[in-house]
Amino acid sequence: MQNSYSESYKSAGVDVTSGYRSVELIKKHVERTKVPGFLEGIGGFGGLFALPKTGDSEPVLVSGTDGVGTKLKIAMLMDKHNTIGIDCVAMCVNDIICAGAKPLFFLDYIAMGKNLPKKVEQIVSGVAEGCVQAGCALVGGETAEHPGMMPDDEYDIAGFSVGIVEKSRIPDKNNVKKGDAVIALFSNGVHSNGFSLTRKVFGIDTNAKMLDKHYIELGRTLGEELLIPTKIYVKPVLELLNKIPVRSICHITGGGFYENIPRAFSENIGAVIQREKIETPAIFSLIAEAGNISERDMFNTYNMGVGMCVITAPENAGETVRILQPFGEKAAIIGEIREGFSGVKII
């Protein structure tokens, strides 16, 4: 690659040597993510991964893709890029774990106005950390320089993950029935949803100094709070699936409670959620107050303190909470499944 250089291409805004430098800088981060099945180092044309010999009779591959959304704006304004990759991994692996799938590998795509190798390294260090937390390999990715399409200092990131599960072990929402318990795995904040509204209510786009404002309720600045990475629930949920017959799982992302929880059961039943059982971080009260947002709209936009829900038979509910605790997960029974309506009621 030493001979791969184009003065003409560089004059158009693309420096291919920066791309090569970025690859060299991120290799040490990729090394951290190696798991059994990883076959090829970064830099080739494709990431190779050998399917594990699990002895399963009907292994199913489960895939998911997502980005980070406008949380990226906060990272750019604060010039802090080493955690946003965790969010990208989380948004993908937290989805595929809802199908009971163990994540195998992850790929990322970073588009930048200008390829700045040190910034790429920061971003990918977060991706690698997310992969370590999820127990999957970072097998490859792409960094693209887009001069003229975005400012030099801006970027976007998206990711893609593949996991595996035995077909008979995939949670089936049609098995959810009246009386089943809804158990919350609590979040650590806003995660990666609702940032367009959050930026608006705090006036961040017109006054970036708001990110430096310290809130007693938070114990940190607004910017530090908003950049807390999305929790990755893979390892505790996999442990739970190995020990408890889980009926269904849902990831609370964009659309909050009202969109995501109904995806975990059939249309002829509903979930009644007890508001008092939910531990809601202070950031949500600040958002609601700053934007004069109704509680229903808050629950329809944000996770409100619940990153994931698990539905089990009522006799397994207490054991479910106990299994999650050694992983440092705050978990609680927050509701139950009832008949006579569809969707979600928060009381």
Side-chain angles (χ1 to χ4, degrees):
M1 294 182 181
Q2 293 178 342
N3 295 325
S4 181
Y5 175 77
S6 169
E7 188 64 41
S8 297
Y9 208 8
K10 184 176 181 180
S11 70
V14 178
D15 184 355
V16 293
T17 60
S18 293
Y20 303 146
R21 174 62 177 155
S22 296
V23 170
E24 289 303 313
L25 289 175
I26 66 179
K27 281 183 176 179
K28 63 178 180 287
H29 301 293
V30 175
E31 282 290 315
R32 297 181 57 219
T33 75
K34 283 189 174 180
V35 297
F38 184 98
L39 295 181
E40 180 68 24
I42 196 165
F45 287 99
L48 307 181
F49 196 93
L51 285 177
K53 295 180 180 179
T54 61
D56 291 341
S57 58
E58 291 186 279
V60 175
L61 295 179
V62 181
S63 59
T65 185
D66 209 338
V68 180
T70 64
K71 185 172 185 173
L72 284 171
K73 188 76 172 179
I74 309 299
M76 293 176 202
L77 288 171
M78 295 182 66
D79 195 24
K80 186 177 186 300
H81 312 285
N82 63 340
T83 62
I84 208 73
I86 301 174
D87 292 284
C88 190
V89 175
M91 296 302 288
C92 297
V93 298
N94 283 347
D95 276 354
I96 67 175
I97 193 62
C98 292
K102 180 188 185 310
L104 296 174
F105 58 83
F106 186 86
L107 294 95
D108 60 16
Y109 178 87
I110 305 169
M112 315 184 77
K114 183 177 180 59
N115 190 320
L116 302 173
K118 285 291 186 181
K119 182 181 286 188
V120 172
E121 181 187 8
Q122 290 180 53
I123 298 167
V124 175
S125 73
V127 175
E129 174 59 27
C131 288
V132 169
Q133 291 182 25
C136 65
L138 177 57
V139 297
E142 175 71 9
T143 304
E145 204 165 16
H146 287 174
M149 290 195 66
M150 59 178 70
D152 286 355
D153 60 345
E154 290 191 3
Y155 64 93
D156 194 10
I157 180 172
F160 172 84
S161 187
V162 173
I164 191 168
V165 61
E166 168 66 16
K167 186 176 181 180
S168 64
R169 291 171 60 87
I170 300 173
D172 184 352
K173 68 178 184 179
N174 294 309
N175 291 331
V176 176
K177 59 187 68 174
K178 176 184 176 182
D180 282 349
V182 181
I183 296 145
L185 282 72
F186 292 132
S187 72
N188 58 5
V190 182
H191 282 186
S192 296
N193 300 106
F195 272 84
S196 295
L197 179 57
T198 302
R199 287 171 26 243
K200 177 184 177 183
V201 300
F202 287 114
I204 291 170
D205 290 353
T206 55
N207 182 17
K209 290 184 178 179
M210 278 297 300
L211 294 170
D212 298 325
K213 182 176 179 180
H214 188 277
Y215 285 84
I216 295 174
E217 302 95 323
L218 303 176
R220 56 177 67 91
T221 66
L222 178 62
E224 290 169 339
E225 175 72 22
L226 295 180
L227 273 192
I228 294 173
T230 305
K231 288 188 74 173
I232 292 176
Y233 297 99
V234 169
K235 291 179 180 178
V237 172
L238 284 175
E239 179 70 11
L240 187 63
L241 288 165
N242 285 330
K243 294 184 175 180
I244 293 290
V246 174
R247 303 261 211 238
S248 192
I249 308 171
C250 64
H251 181 199
I252 310 300
T253 58
F257 279 47
Y258 291 103
E259 179 177 328
N260 292 291
I261 294 179
R263 296 166 67 180
F265 44 78
S266 59
E267 294 182 0
N268 60 341
I269 53 178
V272 175
I273 305 297
Q274 298 179 55
R275 177 68 179 88
E276 64 181 14
K277 300 291 186 181
I278 301 171
E279 296 184 12
T280 302
I283 182 60
F284 295 110
S285 297
L286 294 174
I287 292 170
E289 182 180 350
N292 192 26
I293 304 169
S294 69
E295 185 167 79
R296 191 196 185 285
D297 280 357
M298 290 295 294
F299 272 97
N300 199 47
T301 305
Y302 298 100
N303 68 64
M304 294 298 283
V306 178
M308 187 160 282
C309 284
V310 172
I311 301 176
T312 69
E315 62 268 22
N316 292 324
E319 182 65 13
T320 295
V321 173
R322 284 191 289 274
I323 290 170
L324 293 168
Q325 286 174 342
F327 289 88
E329 290 297 334
K330 284 187 176 182
I333 303 165
I334 62 168
E336 68 174 4
I337 301 299
R338 296 184 187 175
E339 295 177 336
F341 73 99
S342 297
V344 174
K345 291 182 180 178
I346 300 174
I347 61 174

